[in-house]
Amino acid sequence: MTATPSTTTQSPVTPAGGQQRLGPVGLVLAGCVSVQFGGALAVTLMPRVGAPGVVALRLLAAAVVLLLVCRPRLRGHSRADWGTVVVFGIAMGAMNGLFYEAVSRIPLGAAVTLEVLGPLALSVLASRRAINALWAGLALAGVFLLGGGGFGDLDPTGVAFALGAGAMWAAYIVFSARTGRRFPQADGLALAMAVAALLFLPIGIASAGTRLLDPTTIALGSAVALLSSVLPYTLELLALRRLPASTFAILMSLEPAIAATAGFLILDQSLSATEAAAIALVIAASIGAVRTQVGRGKARVEPAPES
């Protein structure tokens, strides 16, 4: 059972015109760019408050912004609706916490490369078409090539955190789609973000203490929240209303490529010829997945021939 979207108001965070101009794929790509540049900024913030402090600041600032802008309705939702929001919030908080623990131990590019294995696995499990498994395999080859063909020299704990973040990312995709179908606009996202912030705030306070109150730290944390949470999660929630989870998951394989670009521009990390080839493989897989989905959409609306 899904909630009926409101037809009288439009959330300032999710204008219908912008959604129509970008389309679901454009929404995903814009979210990917935003979240990776936010992640690169978060790396520069970690020396101030540590990984748990960054996550707490990010989730809290994002929750405040979304609750103020969306002003979600608390009444009129079923127990299943609330259960979906709570699980979505738990997955979101765990995904963020595990990822930032990973990037505090291993390079950003390697962490994103390992994390994206979660969505790739989801794309294979969720899809019932062999062609989508092919695109996922091609993307997986690019992901491993981007990671240097192996991760044996990385901190094992960091690798475990990155893989755990990937599992939570797959859960995030599933429950983001379900939340988007049950709640109008970005209301469900705002409520789930509040759940994630409430769960993680005690951890951040225990880890960073009064360092979280530094004005510069708060400003940087708010910027990370906008780039890595508010904007991309809103765009992804909208996209998942119109895009199958399998196609969306393959598009997530673009994250390592965008992370490498963000690392080059913000963290002064160079790209080798091998990394460039890996990025090309991932982009080719994503384009193939999108073209497959577009072809299916056209086939569904093709008029029946007249007898």
Side-chain angles (χ1 to χ4, degrees):
M1 181 179 65
T2 59
T4 304
S6 172
T7 58
T8 58
T9 60
Q10 293 289 342
S11 168
V13 176
T14 60
Q19 182 181 351
Q20 292 172 354
R21 285 193 296 270
L22 283 177
V25 175
L27 293 172
V28 172
L29 295 179
C32 287
V33 171
S34 181
V35 76
Q36 290 308 323
F37 278 85
L41 180 60
V43 171
T44 67
L45 181 59
M46 281 188 187
R48 291 177 172 269
V49 292
V54 172
V55 177
L57 281 173
R58 168 180 168 173
L59 294 176
L60 179 61
V64 170
V65 170
L66 286 171
L67 289 173
L68 288 176
V69 173
C70 298
R71 290 174 293 178
R73 183 168 52 88
L74 299 179
R75 296 182 179 180
H77 303 298
S78 68
R79 181 177 299 179
D81 293 340
W82 284 113
T84 300
V85 160
V86 170
V87 175
F88 183 27
I90 293 172
M92 191 187 305
M95 176 183 69
N96 280 276
L98 291 168
F99 176 74
Y100 282 115
E101 288 292 345
V103 297
S104 69
R105 293 169 172 82
I106 61 178
L108 176 64
V112 176
T113 301
L114 288 166
E115 186 191 25
V116 83
L117 296 180
L120 284 176
L122 176 65
S123 71
V124 175
L125 294 173
S127 174
R128 298 180 181 178
R129 304 191 71 197
I131 188 64
N132 279 349
L134 173 63
W135 298 132
L138 185 62
L140 181 62
V143 164
F144 271 107
L145 190 60
L146 190 59
F151 300 91
D153 57 343
L154 297 178
D155 181 284
T157 304
V159 171
F161 277 127
L163 292 175
M168 290 299 100
W169 195 358
Y172 161 86
I173 292 172
V174 172
F175 283 93
S176 178
R178 294 181 182 180
T179 300
R181 290 192 294 266
R182 288 180 175 274
F183 291 83
Q185 303 300 326
D187 287 10
L189 174 63
L191 294 171
M193 190 69 73
V195 170
L198 288 174
L199 290 175
F200 219 94
L201 189 58
I203 301 174
I205 293 174
S207 174
T210 57
R211 288 178 292 166
L212 293 173
L213 302 178
D214 179 75
T216 302
T217 299
I218 293 174
L220 289 173
S222 299
V224 171
L226 291 172
L227 287 172
S228 295
S229 296
V230 176
L231 181 59
Y233 292 172
T234 301
L235 295 176
E236 289 169 8
L237 183 141
L238 289 173
L240 278 163
R241 286 175 174 161
R242 301 158 57 192
L243 202 63
S246 57
T247 304
F248 179 89
I250 295 176
L251 284 172
M252 290 296 98
S253 64
L254 285 169
E255 294 277 14
I258 298 172
T261 304
F264 173 75
L265 294 175
I266 297 178
L267 303 177
D268 199 24
Q269 299 172 349
S270 60
L271 287 175
S272 67
T274 300
E275 290 170 333
I279 290 172
L281 276 177
V282 171
I283 292 174
S286 296
I287 291 174
V290 172
R291 288 179 64 86
T292 298
Q293 178 58 29
V294 170
R296 290 186 68 188
K298 288 182 178 179
R300 283 196 296 267
V301 301
E302 189 73 27
E306 295 181 1
S307 58

